[in-house]
PDB file of all heavy atoms in Angstrom:
ATOM      1  N   ILE A 130      41.028 -19.782 -10.326  1.00  0.00           N
ATOM      2  CA  ILE A 130      41.095 -19.300 -11.689  1.00  0.00           C
ATOM      3  C   ILE A 130      39.791 -18.629 -12.087  1.00  0.00           C
ATOM      4  O   ILE A 130      39.766 -17.557 -12.685  1.00  0.00           O
ATOM      5  CB  ILE A 130      41.413 -20.451 -12.665  1.00  0.00           C
ATOM      6  CG1 ILE A 130      42.857 -20.912 -12.474  1.00  0.00           C
ATOM      7  CG2 ILE A 130      41.172 -20.045 -14.120  1.00  0.00           C
ATOM      8  CD1 ILE A 130      43.270 -22.037 -13.358  1.00  0.00           C
ATOM      9  N   GLU A 131      38.688 -19.216 -11.700  1.00  0.00           N
ATOM     10  CA  GLU A 131      37.381 -18.600 -11.982  1.00  0.00           C
ATOM     11  C   GLU A 131      37.208 -17.286 -11.228  1.00  0.00           C
ATOM     12  O   GLU A 131      36.627 -16.330 -11.768  1.00  0.00           O
ATOM     13  CB  GLU A 131      36.242 -19.570 -11.590  1.00  0.00           C
ATOM     14  CG  GLU A 131      36.110 -20.797 -12.474  1.00  0.00           C
ATOM     15  CD  GLU A 131      37.137 -21.886 -12.128  1.00  0.00           C
ATOM     16  OE1 GLU A 131      37.860 -21.717 -11.118  1.00  0.00           O
ATOM     17  OE2 GLU A 131      37.172 -22.883 -12.831  1.00  0.00           O
ATOM     18  N   GLY A 132      37.702 -17.215  -9.998  1.00  0.00           N
ATOM     19  CA  GLY A 132      37.632 -15.987  -9.249  1.00  0.00           C
ATOM     20  C   GLY A 132      38.453 -14.891  -9.880  1.00  0.00           C
ATOM     21  O   GLY A 132      38.044 -13.704  -9.901  1.00  0.00           O
ATOM     22  N   CYS A 133      39.612 -15.261 -10.432  1.00  0.00           N
ATOM     23  CA  CYS A 133      40.434 -14.266 -11.141  1.00  0.00           C
ATOM     24  C   CYS A 133      39.713 -13.733 -12.369  1.00  0.00           C
ATOM     25  O   CYS A 133      39.805 -12.535 -12.686  1.00  0.00           O
ATOM     26  CB  CYS A 133      41.765 -14.890 -11.555  1.00  0.00           C
ATOM     27  SG  CYS A 133      42.883 -15.249 -10.182  1.00  0.00           S
ATOM     28  N   TYR A 134      38.966 -14.605 -13.025  1.00  0.00           N
ATOM     29  CA  TYR A 134      38.208 -14.154 -14.210  1.00  0.00           C
ATOM     30  C   TYR A 134      37.099 -13.175 -13.811  1.00  0.00           C
ATOM     31  O   TYR A 134      36.870 -12.160 -14.456  1.00  0.00           O
ATOM     32  CB  TYR A 134      37.588 -15.363 -14.906  1.00  0.00           C
ATOM     33  CG  TYR A 134      36.795 -15.006 -16.151  1.00  0.00           C
ATOM     34  CD1 TYR A 134      37.421 -14.781 -17.354  1.00  0.00           C
ATOM     35  CD2 TYR A 134      35.402 -14.890 -16.092  1.00  0.00           C
ATOM     36  CE1 TYR A 134      36.707 -14.438 -18.497  1.00  0.00           C
ATOM     37  CE2 TYR A 134      34.674 -14.550 -17.212  1.00  0.00           C
ATOM     38  CZ  TYR A 134      35.327 -14.340 -18.419  1.00  0.00           C
ATOM     39  OH  TYR A 134      34.606 -13.982 -19.528  1.00  0.00           O
ATOM     40  N   VAL A 135      36.422 -13.463 -12.700  1.00  0.00           N
ATOM     41  CA  VAL A 135      35.389 -12.571 -12.197  1.00  0.00           C
ATOM     42  C   VAL A 135      35.992 -11.200 -11.851  1.00  0.00           C
ATOM     43  O   VAL A 135      35.451 -10.148 -12.235  1.00  0.00           O
ATOM     44  CB  VAL A 135      34.729 -13.157 -10.928  1.00  0.00           C
ATOM     45  CG1 VAL A 135      33.797 -12.142 -10.281  1.00  0.00           C
ATOM     46  CG2 VAL A 135      33.947 -14.407 -11.281  1.00  0.00           C
ATOM     47  N   LEU A 136      37.137 -11.201 -11.162  1.00  0.00           N
ATOM     48  CA  LEU A 136      37.791  -9.944 -10.793  1.00  0.00           C
ATOM     49  C   LEU A 136      38.206  -9.174 -12.011  1.00  0.00           C
ATOM     50  O   LEU A 136      37.972  -7.938 -12.093  1.00  0.00           O
ATOM     51  CB  LEU A 136      38.998 -10.253  -9.911  1.00  0.00           C
ATOM     52  CG  LEU A 136      39.798  -9.031  -9.406  1.00  0.00           C
ATOM     53  CD1 LEU A 136      38.893  -8.140  -8.548  1.00  0.00           C
ATOM     54  CD2 LEU A 136      41.018  -9.501  -8.623  1.00  0.00           C
ATOM     55  N   ALA A 137      38.821  -9.834 -12.974  1.00  0.00           N
ATOM     56  CA  ALA A 137      39.293  -9.140 -14.170  1.00  0.00           C
ATOM     57  C   ALA A 137      38.113  -8.577 -14.974  1.00  0.00           C
ATOM     58  O   ALA A 137      38.167  -7.417 -15.456  1.00  0.00           O
ATOM     59  CB  ALA A 137      40.090 -10.094 -15.037  1.00  0.00           C
ATOM     60  N   SER A 138      37.047  -9.325 -15.125  1.00  0.00           N
ATOM     61  CA  SER A 138      35.890  -8.859 -15.883  1.00  0.00           C
ATOM     62  C   SER A 138      35.249  -7.658 -15.210  1.00  0.00           C
ATOM     63  O   SER A 138      34.813  -6.703 -15.886  1.00  0.00           O
ATOM     64  CB  SER A 138      34.879  -9.987 -16.076  1.00  0.00           C
ATOM     65  OG  SER A 138      34.304 -10.365 -14.818  1.00  0.00           O
ATOM     66  N   GLY A 139      35.208  -7.676 -13.893  1.00  0.00           N
ATOM     67  CA  GLY A 139      34.597  -6.558 -13.154  1.00  0.00           C
ATOM     68  C   GLY A 139      35.414  -5.300 -13.221  1.00  0.00           C
ATOM     69  O   GLY A 139      34.889  -4.187 -13.367  1.00  0.00           O
ATOM     70  N   LEU A 140      36.741  -5.444 -13.079  1.00  0.00           N
ATOM     71  CA  LEU A 140      37.613  -4.274 -13.062  1.00  0.00           C
ATOM     72  C   LEU A 140      37.793  -3.674 -14.455  1.00  0.00           C
ATOM     73  O   LEU A 140      37.949  -2.434 -14.588  1.00  0.00           O
ATOM     74  CB  LEU A 140      38.983  -4.649 -12.508  1.00  0.00           C
ATOM     75  CG  LEU A 140      39.047  -4.991 -11.017  1.00  0.00           C
ATOM     76  CD1 LEU A 140      40.462  -5.389 -10.627  1.00  0.00           C
ATOM     77  CD2 LEU A 140      38.587  -3.835 -10.162  1.00  0.00           C
ATOM     78  N   LEU A 141      37.736  -4.492 -15.479  1.00  0.00           N
ATOM     79  CA  LEU A 141      38.071  -4.023 -16.826  1.00  0.00           C
ATOM     80  C   LEU A 141      36.857  -3.671 -17.685  1.00  0.00           C
ATOM     81  O   LEU A 141      36.960  -2.834 -18.557  1.00  0.00           O
ATOM     82  CB  LEU A 141      38.916  -5.079 -17.555  1.00  0.00           C
ATOM     83  CG  LEU A 141      40.274  -5.398 -16.967  1.00  0.00           C
ATOM     84  CD1 LEU A 141      40.975  -6.485 -17.777  1.00  0.00           C
ATOM     85  CD2 LEU A 141      41.158  -4.145 -16.899  1.00  0.00           C
ATOM     86  N   CYS A 142      35.733  -4.307 -17.425  1.00  0.00           N
ATOM     87  CA  CYS A 142      34.612  -4.206 -18.364  1.00  0.00           C
ATOM     88  C   CYS A 142      33.429  -3.408 -17.857  1.00  0.00           C
ATOM     89  O   CYS A 142      32.492  -3.153 -18.611  1.00  0.00           O
ATOM     90  CB  CYS A 142      34.160  -5.600 -18.770  1.00  0.00           C
ATOM     91  SG  CYS A 142      35.487  -6.579 -19.513  1.00  0.00           S
ATOM     92  N   GLY A 143      33.434  -2.987 -16.612  1.00  0.00           N
ATOM     93  CA  GLY A 143      32.411  -2.081 -16.151  1.00  0.00           C
ATOM     94  C   GLY A 143      31.240  -2.716 -15.413  1.00  0.00           C
ATOM     95  O   GLY A 143      30.926  -3.874 -15.610  1.00  0.00           O
ATOM     96  N   CYS A 144      30.608  -1.896 -14.628  1.00  0.00           N
ATOM     97  CA  CYS A 144      29.425  -2.297 -13.874  1.00  0.00           C
ATOM     98  C   CYS A 144      28.231  -2.486 -14.831  1.00  0.00           C
ATOM     99  O   CYS A 144      28.067  -1.666 -15.760  1.00  0.00           O
ATOM    100  CB  CYS A 144      29.115  -1.192 -12.834  1.00  0.00           C
ATOM    101  SG  CYS A 144      27.588  -1.367 -11.944  1.00  0.00           S
ATOM    102  N   PRO A 145      27.381  -3.495 -14.650  1.00  0.00           N
ATOM    103  CA  PRO A 145      27.341  -4.493 -13.583  1.00  0.00           C
ATOM    104  C   PRO A 145      27.910  -5.867 -14.001  1.00  0.00           C
ATOM    105  O   PRO A 145      27.467  -6.900 -13.512  1.00  0.00           O
ATOM    106  CB  PRO A 145      25.872  -4.603 -13.296  1.00  0.00           C
ATOM    107  CG  PRO A 145      25.238  -4.489 -14.683  1.00  0.00           C
ATOM    108  CD  PRO A 145      26.134  -3.504 -15.430  1.00  0.00           C
ATOM    109  N   VAL A 146      28.852  -5.858 -14.963  1.00  0.00           N
ATOM    110  CA  VAL A 146      29.380  -7.117 -15.499  1.00  0.00           C
ATOM    111  C   VAL A 146      30.039  -7.944 -14.401  1.00  0.00           C
ATOM    112  O   VAL A 146      29.850  -9.177 -14.320  1.00  0.00           O
ATOM    113  CB  VAL A 146      30.382  -6.848 -16.626  1.00  0.00           C
ATOM    114  CG1 VAL A 146      31.065  -8.141 -17.064  1.00  0.00           C
ATOM    115  CG2 VAL A 146      29.677  -6.189 -17.803  1.00  0.00           C
ATOM    116  N   GLY A 147      30.834  -7.281 -13.516  1.00  0.00           N
ATOM    117  CA  GLY A 147      31.494  -8.029 -12.442  1.00  0.00           C
ATOM    118  C   GLY A 147      30.535  -8.725 -11.516  1.00  0.00           C
ATOM    119  O   GLY A 147      30.699  -9.907 -11.176  1.00  0.00           O
ATOM    120  N   ALA A 148      29.489  -8.007 -11.114  1.00  0.00           N
ATOM    121  CA  ALA A 148      28.488  -8.595 -10.224  1.00  0.00           C
ATOM    122  C   ALA A 148      27.721  -9.732 -10.895  1.00  0.00           C
ATOM    123  O   ALA A 148      27.416 -10.762 -10.269  1.00  0.00           O
ATOM    124  CB  ALA A 148      27.515  -7.515  -9.739  1.00  0.00           C
TER     125      ALA A 148
END
Side-chain angles (χ1 to χ4, degrees):
I130 289 179
E131 290 80 5
C133 291
Y134 181 81
V135 172
L136 180 61
S138 66
L140 292 178
L141 297 178
C142 301
C144 173
V146 173

